[in-house]
Amino acid sequence: MALLLKRVAVVTLPLLVSGCVSADGGFEPQFGFDRVSQETTAKLGKETVWIQDRNASGHVRSRVRSLVQNKTISADTAVQVALLNNRGLQAAYAEVGIATSDLWQEGLGVNPRIGITASRLGVARTIEGVISANIVSLITRERRLDAAAAKVAEAQLGSVEKTLAVAAEARTAWIEAASAWEQVAYLNRAKASADAAAELASKLGGTGAMTKADQAREQVLYAELTGRTAEARLAARLAKERLVRVMGVYGQELDFEVPNTLPNLPRNVRTRNDIEAEALRNRVDLRLAKIELEALATSYGLTKATRYVSDLELGAGLEVEQEITENEDGSTSKKDVTSGIVELAFEIPIFDSGQARLRKAEFGYMRAANLLAEKAVNVRSEARSAYQAYRSSYDIARHYRSSVLPLRKLIEDEGLLTYNGMITNTFDLLTDTRERINSTTQSLNAKRAFWLAEAGLTSAIYGGGETPSGSGAMVADAGGDE
Amino acid sequence: MVSRRAFVGAGAALAGVAAWSKTSAMSLPDAPIMEDASTQPPLAPSAGPDYNPVVTPNGWTLPFRMNNGWKEFHLIAEPVEREMGEGMTAYLWGYNGQSPGPTIECVEGDKVRIFVTNRLPEHTTIHWHGMLLPCGMDGVGGLTQPHIKSGKTFVYEFVMQKSGTFMYHPHADEMLQMAMGMMGSFVVHPKDPTFMPVDRDFVFLLSAYDIDPGTYVPRVMEMTDFNMWTMNTRVFPNIDPLPIGLNERARVRVGNLTMTNHPIHMHGYDFSVTCTDGGWVRPEARWPEVTIDIPVGAMRAFEFDAHVPGDWALHCHKSHHTMNAMGHDVPTFIGVDKTSVAKKIRQLQPDYMPMGTKGMADMGEMSMPIPDNTIPMMTGWGQFGPLEMGGMFTVVKVREDLAKGDYSDPGEYEHPPGTVAYEWTGELPMAAKAPDAPVKTGSLEQKSATPAKASDHSGH
């Protein structure tokens, strides 16, 4: 983790609509941003810009340049540059700007501000998390239950997810690239051993001590390894290009390096027994979907939430209903949930549908509520999966490092001794070396799997992973229905 | 170095008592145990007819006691740790603490009673190889006697009908037990002390083991590819020499319990085989030799008069048998320039040393780390340099000033001045030429062994 933690940084970004709308309703694009910039400078001695004009663009460009040019960048730097510089992200922010402008036209002011924190593990784990938390609280606070606000929310959703996704993608791409270069380095070592064997074989051929077939056997190994190394190098270059795209850099900014090695495994891993609760609390897509459900209810005219049920209860309730048809038991009893479950439960507002103007609206609402419940269930599972992957990949990577590699080392060391004793030959020695390198490569794969799982943990808790949210469509439907 | 171990195990003690009650009220004879792999002094007879005792290089002789006219010995078959050479110990099975077991000596006409206690995990027997005795004493498990189970003691009783050189070894699970080192020499002296007398009488057994470098236990299933070729389960450079006084008559008795023949060659002297395990060879049937082939499962005794002093090598002439553990899959690197290869390999294996490009003699000089419990393939140093030997190799040391009965190593031979091969530093004589031979500028140095055309052929 050391590489990722080089810098304790709090970068406050003018995400989406900062300063677009002032509190008194005047449209001052730079207002919010100035505030952000001041805060950032005070905390970091660093500046950030929301790219709204040429000047700001130049600013970002030079800042990005100073972060990457002629440097070997850390994963945190990669994420930070991506957040600063990814044009797709800027486009998403602009979407929100447009929506907010519309909202402003409606005379409704919002003044959201987003802080990005890249800090030490354990304090505030990730940049991504803090962004999402802030956005969500902002949206919650500034919810406007009309079409313009829904559009804002939709755009906000898009930009939030985009932000998280970009951050996750940058981190993943960085891991893939560093890992790929590490693989290349080890394959090069394996190739060197095959190269030595091939050369020795051809020299033995020259003195008349080795058959053509045996020479060819050594040489084909070298040739194959050369192919594999070239493949690995290509993979590494492509991985770096993927990182370049996420970071949105080009031209002279391309002059940066990714480390040739992934950070070592941490000494231990965090135990996260509350991973489900944490995900339910923090998943941006889930919370936004909930807001949208409430917006949907409003659009159907269901104004008053009469109660809240958890996703657990909702699921149970559905089961009971199914049993009713078979067992003639019409009573639906509402069970109190224990505090432990409350901690774990995701509450879904149930609006009193008695006042529903349309039967259709009620069905529409229940459909959305169940989709939300499904999502909550999935989020729990994703959180558990991510944690399982994190824990197990750590154990696996450690196993390779502390069990497999020492054994390979021992084999190689003993191989050298038997070689010294004229008991085995140079080729045996080189084979042992190659096998150790193969095991090392497996160990590197395991290490990469761990760091990817570590990054996946963030996505599982905060969102922005590869799971599509799909709740945006819901809002659009609701809007159309109105 | 003989120690006396108390009997342990009620089974053994009871079995002993049961066997003993038939013959005597006395207890079992002591079973001395040897803990040392060095040559023990010959054991002069404490009772009975006199004889000139044999010396067992890196071995010892089993003491006996007389009991109502019977010579009584006690062998204990048991697991042993045998030092095959410095830095290499084998976990074997043997007798009374060592492999090979102690040499048993007696005299033609002796009544011999041998107690055999089995402390192995499986049954055993002892076959008295080459001796004519009552069939029930021949020691073939199942055929001529019940097996000696673990913890039991059996008694063999027979009268020595002829003198000569014999062996003893198990005849129960024989393949495994012999591969584990169970064997010993058995010398029967002539009743007439004036028959075939010698001043020095040596006896050793040839045995072979397949002990993977870095391990301790022989691979008992191996039939051909052994890596420890031993004399008395000992390898060069740790086989004790055979010291002989100048002008003494010496006899060397060699038995072969490996699975291949061994042409035993002694430098310098010619000699005659005077005895096999079948008996003495009549003088008119002998002929002079410098190498005698010892067949599998046979013994040969050869004699010579040591009238020329010096350090005379005595070894098996199969050159792989004068090597220690080696790999048979190591390619021939002669003439291969490993310089650039070595550079590449050192990047991965910093301790890599290229070897064998000029030959393998560098192995004898370099002492690189090798696996635990392994003796280098070629090793040993003499006064002029590395000997580059191993396995079945020892030295007959003939010295003028050697006291009778002194079997300690007299050290390196001091060659009289002018009697050692020396380097010529003067002009070399011109080679004889035919009158019309074309003139060639010759170089004494052999060109590279690399066939220059090898690479040219590759394009064909």
Side-chain angles (χ1 to χ4, degrees), chain A residues 82-271:
Chain A
L83 293 184
L84 283 171
N85 204 37
N86 184 294
R87 302 304 152 133
L89 204 51
Q90 292 289 335
Y93 297 168
E95 286 287 329
V96 182
I98 293 165
T100 316
S101 301
D102 291 344
L103 186 60
W104 171 70
Q105 299 241 316
E106 303 284 334
L108 299 164
V110 278
N111 189 14
R113 186 167 54 78
I114 297 307
I116 296 177
T117 309
S119 64
R120 278 194 191 282
L121 190 73
V123 181
R125 164 65 185 86
T126 57
I127 301 166
E128 303 89 311
V130 174
I131 294 170
S132 55
N134 286 351
I135 290 176
V136 168
S137 65
L138 158 81
I139 293 162
T140 312
R141 194 172 61 241
E142 301 295 340
R143 178 159 54 93
R144 289 293 181 274
L145 301 177
D146 60 16
K151 284 224 169 82
V152 171
E154 188 183 346
Q156 284 168 333
L157 169 66
S159 58
V160 165
E161 294 220 300
K162 183 77 179 168
T163 308
L164 290 170
V166 163
E169 203 187 339
R171 192 174 292 278
T172 308
W174 184 91
I175 291 168
E176 299 277 12
S179 167
W181 284 118
E182 198 169 15
Q183 294 276 6
V184 169
Y186 270 89
L187 273 172
N188 272 332
R189 288 168 69 89
K191 195 160 71 102
S193 116
D195 178 22
E199 184 181 338
L200 192 59
S202 91
K203 293 207 159 162
L204 279 167
T207 62
M210 203 172 211
T211 64
K212 280 181 183 173
D214 282 345
Q215 292 175 58
R217 260 174 214 118
E218 297 299 334
Q219 281 148 6
V220 79
L221 199 67
Y222 175 58
E224 281 168 1
L225 267 171
T226 307
R228 270 181 64 191
T229 313
E231 282 166 15
R233 191 172 286 118
L234 173 64
R237 289 197 178 118
L238 294 181
K240 192 185 167 189
E241 280 305 328
R242 195 183 143 211
L243 179 62
V244 162
R245 283 199 295 279
V246 184
M247 287 166 64
V249 291
Y250 59 96
Q252 288 180 313
E253 296 156 6
L254 288 179
D255 217 3
F256 72 92
E257 298 290 337
V258 173
N260 280 338
T261 172
L262 280 178
N264 286 328
L265 291 178
R267 277 182 195 283
N268 42 48
V269 284
R270 288 161 297 148
T271 307

Side-chain angles (χ1 to χ4, degrees), chain A residues 188-201 203-210 212 222 409 412-430 432-433 436-437, chain B residues 213 325-341 344-345 347-349 351-356 359-360 362-363 368-372 374 376-377 449-451 454-455 457-458:
Chain A
N188 272 332
R189 288 168 69 89
K191 195 160 71 102
S193 116
D195 178 22
E199 184 181 338
L200 192 59
K203 293 207 159 162
L204 279 167
T207 62
M210 203 172 211
K212 280 181 183 173
Y222 175 58
K409 177 82 167 61
E412 197 186 17
D413 289 349
E414 288 295 315
L416 183 65
L417 296 182
T418 53
Y419 163 79
N420 285 346
M422 288 274 183
I423 295 151
T424 53
N425 67 53
T426 322
F427 296 106
D428 299 328
L429 180 65
L430 290 168
D432 287 342
T433 301
R436 176 168 66 86
I437 292 165
Chain B
M326 61 192 278
H328 297 294
D329 292 329
V330 177
T332 305
F333 288 114
I334 298 167
V336 174
D337 180 4
K338 283 190 180 175
T339 320
S340 66
V341 173
K344 287 175 187 171
I345 297 176
Q347 288 173 2
L348 307 157
Q349 275 285 6
D351 296 333
Y352 170 80
M353 290 283 287
M355 286 188 292
M360 279 193 181
D362 44 6
M363 169 93 189
M368 287 183 296
I370 57 174
D372 289 345
T374 303
M377 167 179 120
T450 310
S455 54
H457 285 298
S458 63

Side-chain angles (χ1 to χ4, degrees), chain B residues 58-69:
Chain B
N58 296 105
W60 63 301
T61 303
L62 186 64
F64 63 85
R65 74 174 182 192
M66 292 303 290
N67 184 19
N68 287 334

Side-chain angles (χ1 to χ4, degrees), chain A residues 61-94:
Chain A
R61 191 117 197 252
S62 67
R63 182 159 154 64
V64 164
R65 207 169 280 172
S66 76
L67 281 171
V68 302
Q69 203 168 352
N70 295 321
K71 293 210 165 92
T72 301
I73 62 163
S74 69
D76 274 349
T77 306
V79 170
Q80 188 174 314
V81 169
L83 293 184
L84 283 171
N85 204 37
N86 184 294
R87 302 304 152 133
L89 204 51
Q90 292 289 335
Y93 297 168

Side-chain angles (χ1 to χ4, degrees), chain A residues 289-466:
Chain A
K290 188 174 164 187
I291 291 159
E292 286 161 7
L293 180 68
E294 289 171 9
L296 183 66
T298 311
S299 73
Y300 286 142
L302 310 175
T303 49
K304 197 180 172 194
T306 53
R307 61 193 165 99
Y308 286 85
V309 297
S310 78
D311 54 335
L312 294 175
E313 286 176 306
L314 199 62
L318 285 172
E319 270 178 34
V320 170
E321 275 182 32
Q322 283 172 347
E323 279 172 19
I324 292 167
T325 56
E326 289 171 11
N327 299 334
E328 299 178 321
D329 183 1
S331 62
T332 50
S333 61
K334 193 166 139 190
K335 285 177 230 164
D336 289 335
V337 285
T338 66
S339 58
I341 294 174
V342 166
E343 238 267 283
L344 264 179
F346 183 74
E347 291 195 328
I348 296 164
I350 299 296
F351 289 82
D352 181 5
S353 58
Q355 302 297 318
R357 285 175 296 172
L358 294 168
R359 193 81 176 121
K360 186 184 170 193
E362 191 183 339
F363 285 129
Y365 176 78
M366 282 315 290
R367 184 190 68 164
N370 278 304
L371 283 174
L372 180 59
E374 181 198 29
K375 188 167 190 62
V377 169
N378 289 349
V379 160
R380 290 157 179 275
S381 168
E382 282 162 27
R384 283 193 305 272
S385 302
Y387 182 62
Q388 283 296 330
Y390 170 75
R391 270 302 324 193
S392 301
S393 63
Y394 179 78
D395 291 341
I396 292 164
R398 257 179 68 101
H399 174 74
Y400 271 102
R401 193 190 60 186
S402 57
S403 296
V404 177
L405 294 187
L407 286 172
R408 281 288 176 208
K409 177 82 167 61
L410 180 74
I411 292 169
E412 197 186 17
D413 289 349
E414 288 295 315
L416 183 65
L417 296 182
T418 53
Y419 163 79
N420 285 346
M422 288 274 183
I423 295 151
T424 53
N425 67 53
T426 322
F427 296 106
D428 299 328
L429 180 65
L430 290 168
T431 302
D432 287 342
T433 301
R434 265 199 306 276
E435 280 173 0
R436 176 168 66 86
I437 292 165
N438 279 342
S439 287
T440 308
T441 314
Q442 287 168 7
S443 166
L444 294 180
N445 283 335
K447 189 168 74 170
R448 180 186 62 183
F450 167 75
W451 285 118
L452 288 176
E454 206 257 4
L457 202 55
T458 305
S459 296
I461 294 173
Y462 297 108
E466 286 177 6

Side-chain angles (χ1 to χ4, degrees), chain A residues 271-283:
Chain A
T271 307
R272 303 284 285 267
N273 293 327
D274 56 344
I275 189 87
E276 282 183 54
E278 218 175 322
L280 288 178
R281 262 199 311 277
N282 293 307
R283 271 290 281 261

Side-chain angles (χ1 to χ4, degrees), chain B residues 406-440:
Chain B
D406 179 6
Y407 288 89
S408 58
D409 186 348
E412 286 159 349
Y413 178 60
E414 281 178 41
H415 297 267
T419 64
V420 176
Y422 59 100
E423 182 187 3
W424 177 260
T425 53
E427 285 291 311
L428 289 164
M430 290 294 289
K433 272 194 300 188
D436 297 328
V439 181
K440 265 188 181 173

